[in-house]
């Protein structure tokens, strides 16, 4: 026996839609992503305010202290596949909440560190893993809630990182003067615990056009079934002279027989509870889909991310030393860095607005932005005074915002892998980026030490960005060629399935139909 009950879905269950909502609960996800971005990358970029205090407390060099953030960024990107596996296994909400706990634990523990090695473990490894578990699942599920507005919403929500740099750096500096760097770091760790609240808002989403389970009508008794068939037969025989087909209505059925009325399928999803043990097992979800590595378009896009990452970090690290080497004061050098951050905000919003336009090939817009970003990197060594560097920084910050805010969400486009493989592709993509993220700043530092010129660091970044642009330009041709080959294979397989028919096959069937028609006329 089976009992059917309609149960309302609580807030902890997935949101089920027939198509991508382009809003709805997605706005709450965007709100959560804004603060996750601020409490992850915003804190990482603001961590430089602790450098001098750590050097004095631990009596270490600048290079050894800088390895704290280098290890943190490497762990964050290197463990991206792990974040994908855990998200597919336990859900995005649980993974982000666990990441918030790890980030807070690492920061709070680091405030009691006695050596720089303790910092490597607490902030570098523990918090670095937490950053990965918090950031990547949030941006992935945000892309699933939006389609037409995906680029614009993601770009605007990612500005949380830029606003955090403005607010956290002066706030932490003022707090250090009151309670010292250890308690300030402890306060930052407690503040980052709010990522758990943001993670709790990440309701999963399911896109299904049909009902998952349909309630079957109760089977009619055998006696009623026979009575209904007899009534239908009698009615059909009585109406044969008039040539009109009469449909038996429920009122014409004797006894308690009931004809099944025609009804439209319900449009709303209803959760069905079945009290027997015959429920079919749910299909297993792949924890990490490595099939994206067989997609040539994704391979080209991954190489773009690998080389482009070389130009993401070094300019922010070396713009102040470059300006100081040109005789610009520290205050004016800080203004240059602030102008770069402001321009990045406008770049992210502008890129999202442009990519939101229809119809538009987003991969080509991204290519134009990468080419212009390469030009900005090449322009830095030619600047010789304050306003020249200010102009280059604003131009670089704007173009950096257009690329940094869109290169991961662009994986969801059909030109790369599509929304269905977005989760696995993002994990593999960020993992590949980790290699350049770890090697980029040290490579630029080696060039600076060798040439004794900060311009060489910008040349190396520009060269990497140019290589990234080359691979990005190959993404669309590879995708188009792959789709064309798949279509040819499908047509060839369909042609093989059709059997060879004799030439007179159709004529034989037509002859049989004509003979049958003559026989009916004779009757």
């Amino acid at each position: 026996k089976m009992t059917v009950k309609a149960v309302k879905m609580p807030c902890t269950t997935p949101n089920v839609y027939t198509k991508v909502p382009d809003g709805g609960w997605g706005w709450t996800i965007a709100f959560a992503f804004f603060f996750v971005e601020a409490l992850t990358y915003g804190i990482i970029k603001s961590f430089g305010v602790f450098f001098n205090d750590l050097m004095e407390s631990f009596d270490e060099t600048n290079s050894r202290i800088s390895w704290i953030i280098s290890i943190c960024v490497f762990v964050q990107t290197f463990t991206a596949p792990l974040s994908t596996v855990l998200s597919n296994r336990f859900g995005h909400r649980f993974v982000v909440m666990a990441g918030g706990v790890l980030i807070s634990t690492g920061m709070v523990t680091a405030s009691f560190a006695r050596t720089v090695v303790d910092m490597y473990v607490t902030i570098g490894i523990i918090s670095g893993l937490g950053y990965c578990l918090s950031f990547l699942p949030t941006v992935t599920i945000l892309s699933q809630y939006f389609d037409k507005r995906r680029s614009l919403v993601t770009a605007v929500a990612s500005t949380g990182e830029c606003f955090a740099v403005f607010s956290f750096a002066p706030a932490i500096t003022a707090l250090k003067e009151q309670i010292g760097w250890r308690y300030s770091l402890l306060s930052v760790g407690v503040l980052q615990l709010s990522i758990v609240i943001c993670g709790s808002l990440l309701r999963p989403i399911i896109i299904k056009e049909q009902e998952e389970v349909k309630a079957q009508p109760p089977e009619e008794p055998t006696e009623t079934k026979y009575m209904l068939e007899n009534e239908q037969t009698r009615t059909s025989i009585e109406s044969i002279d008039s040539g009109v087909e009469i449909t038996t209505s429920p009122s014409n059925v004797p006894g308690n027989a009931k004809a099944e009325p025609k009804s439209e399928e319900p449009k709303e999803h209803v959760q069905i509870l079945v009290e027997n043990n015959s429920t079919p097992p749910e299909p297993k979800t792949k924890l990490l889909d490595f099939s994206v590595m067989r997609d040539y378009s994704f391979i080209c896009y991954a190489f773009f991310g690998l080389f482009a990452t070389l130009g993401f970090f070094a300019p922010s690290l070396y713009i102040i030393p470059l300006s100081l080497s040109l005789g610009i004061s520290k205050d004016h050098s800080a203004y240059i860095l602030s102008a770069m951050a402001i321009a990045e905000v406008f770049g992210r919003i502008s890129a999202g607005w442009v990519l939101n336009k229809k119809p538009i090939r987003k991969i080509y817009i991204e290519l134009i932005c990468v080419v212009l970003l390469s030009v900005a990197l090449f322009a830095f060594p030619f600047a010789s005074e304050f306003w020249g560097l200010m102009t280059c920084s604003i131009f670089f910050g704007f173009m950096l915002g257009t690329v940094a805010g869109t290169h991961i969400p662009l994986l969801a486009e059909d030109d790369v892998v599509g929304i269905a493989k977005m989760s696995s592709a993002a994990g593999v993509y960020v993992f590949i980026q980790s290699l350049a993220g770890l090697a980029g700043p040290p490579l630029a530092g080696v060039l600076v030490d060798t040439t004794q010129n900060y311009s060489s660091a910008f040349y190396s970044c520009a060269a990497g960005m140019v290589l990234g642009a080359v691979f990005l330009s190959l993404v669309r041709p590879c995708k188009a060629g792959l789709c064309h080959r798949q279509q040819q294979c499908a047509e060839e397989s369909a042609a093989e399935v059709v059997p060879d028919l004799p030439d007179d096959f159709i004529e034989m069937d037509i002859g049989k139909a004509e003979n049958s028609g003559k026989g009916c006329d004779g009757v």
Side-chain angles (χ1 to χ4, degrees):
K1 185 179 179 180
M2 191 173 5
T3 303
V4 180
K5 298 179 181 179
V7 181
K8 294 182 179 179
M9 295 183 180
C11 295
T12 57
T13 57
N15 284 325
V16 182
Y17 297 95
T18 57
K19 63 179 182 179
V20 179
D22 248 339
W25 192 257
W27 298 116
T28 305
I29 305 293
F31 177 80
F33 178 63
F34 179 89
F35 285 98
V36 169
E37 182 88 19
L39 295 173
T40 53
Y41 280 103
I43 295 296
I44 290 176
K45 288 188 175 182
S46 302
F47 192 77
V49 299
F50 292 105
F51 268 34
N52 291 334
D53 301 289
L54 297 178
M55 290 171 60
E56 295 176 0
S57 298
F58 299 142
D59 193 19
E60 296 287 353
T61 61
N62 191 10
S63 61
R64 285 179 60 86
I65 297 299
S66 64
W67 273 104
I68 298 174
I69 295 300
S70 298
I71 294 173
C72 179
V73 173
F74 174 73
V75 171
Q76 177 188 2
T77 52
F78 187 80
T79 56
L82 175 62
S83 174
T84 300
V85 171
L86 294 178
S87 298
N88 292 334
R89 177 63 180 86
F90 300 104
H92 297 79
R93 174 189 289 138
F94 174 78
V95 174
V96 173
M97 294 174 68
V101 173
L102 286 176
I103 294 174
S104 179
T105 301
M107 281 292 184
V108 170
T109 307
S111 64
F112 300 98
R114 297 302 174 186
T115 62
V116 69
V117 177
D118 297 338
M119 288 282 189
Y120 293 162
V121 176
T122 54
I123 298 179
I125 297 178
I126 299 177
S127 293
L129 179 59
Y131 286 134
C132 178
L133 298 182
S134 299
F135 172 77
L136 194 58
T138 309
V139 70
T140 300
I141 194 172
L142 178 63
S143 300
Q144 296 174 359
Y145 269 90
F146 290 91
D147 182 18
K148 297 179 181 179
R149 302 172 179 172
R150 182 186 300 134
S151 300
L152 179 61
V153 172
T154 306
V156 173
S158 65
T159 58
E161 166 191 342
C162 305
F163 285 107
V165 174
F166 291 118
S167 58
F168 287 160
I172 294 174
T173 302
L175 191 63
K176 285 194 308 176
E177 298 177 357
Q178 301 295 327
I179 59 177
W181 72 268
R182 290 188 180 273
Y183 286 107
S184 299
L185 192 61
L186 177 65
S187 302
V188 171
V190 174
L191 178 64
Q192 289 178 311
L193 192 62
S194 58
I195 294 178
V196 176
I197 301 176
C198 298
S200 65
L201 300 176
L202 305 183
R203 290 183 64 179
I205 181 174
I206 297 177
I207 307 296
K208 287 191 176 181
E209 297 182 355
Q210 297 179 354
E211 284 187 281
E212 298 178 3
V213 182
K214 292 183 179 179
Q216 299 294 336
E219 185 178 358
E220 297 178 353
T222 305
E223 181 180 357
T224 303
K225 182 178 180 181
Y226 288 155
M227 294 174 64
L228 179 59
E229 290 178 353
N230 292 335
E231 174 66 15
Q232 291 176 340
T233 303
R234 182 182 64 80
T235 306
S236 178
I237 294 174
E238 292 176 353
S239 60
I240 206 168
D241 294 334
S242 61
V244 180
E245 183 180 356
I246 300 176
T247 303
T248 306
S249 63
S251 60
N252 294 330
V253 181
N256 295 328
K258 294 182 179 180
E260 181 180 354
K262 294 182 179 180
S263 61
E264 297 181 357
E265 295 183 357
K267 297 181 179 179
E268 297 180 356
H269 291 269
V270 180
Q271 186 175 354
I272 306 299
L273 297 182
V274 183
E275 292 186 352
N276 57 5
N277 295 328
S278 61
T279 305
E282 296 181 357
K284 294 183 179 180
T285 304
K286 290 183 179 180
L287 298 181
L288 188 60
D289 189 1
F290 286 102
S291 63
V292 295
M293 298 300 296
R294 297 195 297 267
D295 193 337
Y296 294 134
S297 60
F298 173 75
I299 293 175
C300 291
Y301 198 82
F303 275 109
F304 150 70
L306 176 67
F307 290 107
T309 305
L310 295 174
F312 284 167
F313 299 103
S316 300
L317 295 176
Y318 290 101
I319 183 63
I320 291 182
L322 176 63
S323 61
L324 293 176
S325 65
L326 296 176
I328 301 174
S329 63
K330 293 182 179 180
D331 294 337
H332 286 78
S333 299
Y335 294 153
I336 294 175
L337 188 60
S338 299
M340 182 186 297
I342 295 174
E344 185 177 348
V345 174
F346 289 99
R348 289 174 182 262
I349 297 176
S350 300
W353 179 79
V354 172
L355 294 179
N356 194 51
K357 297 297 181 180
K358 296 286 184 178
I360 193 172
R361 186 68 67 182
K362 298 180 181 180
I363 197 74
Y364 293 149
I365 301 298
E366 186 82 356
L367 178 60
I368 295 174
C369 294
V370 172
V371 172
L372 293 177
L373 185 59
S374 304
V375 174
L377 289 169
F378 275 117
F380 272 104
F382 296 96
S384 58
E385 42 87 25
F386 172 77
W387 288 111
L389 277 181
M390 176 67 77
T391 303
C392 293
S393 297
I394 293 175
F395 182 49
F396 171 79
F398 183 87
M399 301 313 305
L400 178 64
T402 61
V403 177
T406 57
H407 69 108
I408 293 181
L410 208 64
L411 289 168
E413 300 298 326
D414 293 334
D415 284 338
V416 188
V417 296
I419 190 63
K421 297 182 179 180
M422 165 70 176
S423 180
S424 297
V428 178
Y429 175 76
V430 176
F431 169 78
I432 294 175
Q433 273 191 302
S434 67
L435 303 177
L438 182 65
L443 176 62
V446 170
L447 292 176
V448 171
D449 293 338
T450 303
T451 61
Q452 297 298 316
N453 189 353
Y454 287 104
S455 298
S456 58
F458 292 89
Y459 283 131
S460 65
C461 295
M465 196 64 66
V466 170
L467 287 176
V470 172
F471 282 103
L472 184 60
S473 65
L474 298 176
V475 172
R476 174 61 184 168
C478 289
K479 193 68 174 182
L482 180 63
C483 295
H484 183 66
R485 286 194 297 269
Q486 290 177 349
Q487 184 178 2
Q488 288 181 343
C489 294
E491 293 176 354
E492 292 176 358
S493 61
E496 294 176 357
V497 171
V498 178
D500 295 333
L501 301 177
D503 296 336
D504 58 346
F505 179 79
I506 300 178
E507 297 177 358
M508 293 171 61
D509 286 349
I510 294 175
K512 291 180 181 180
E514 290 177 352
N515 294 333
S516 176
K518 291 179 180 180
C520 293
D521 294 339
V523 175

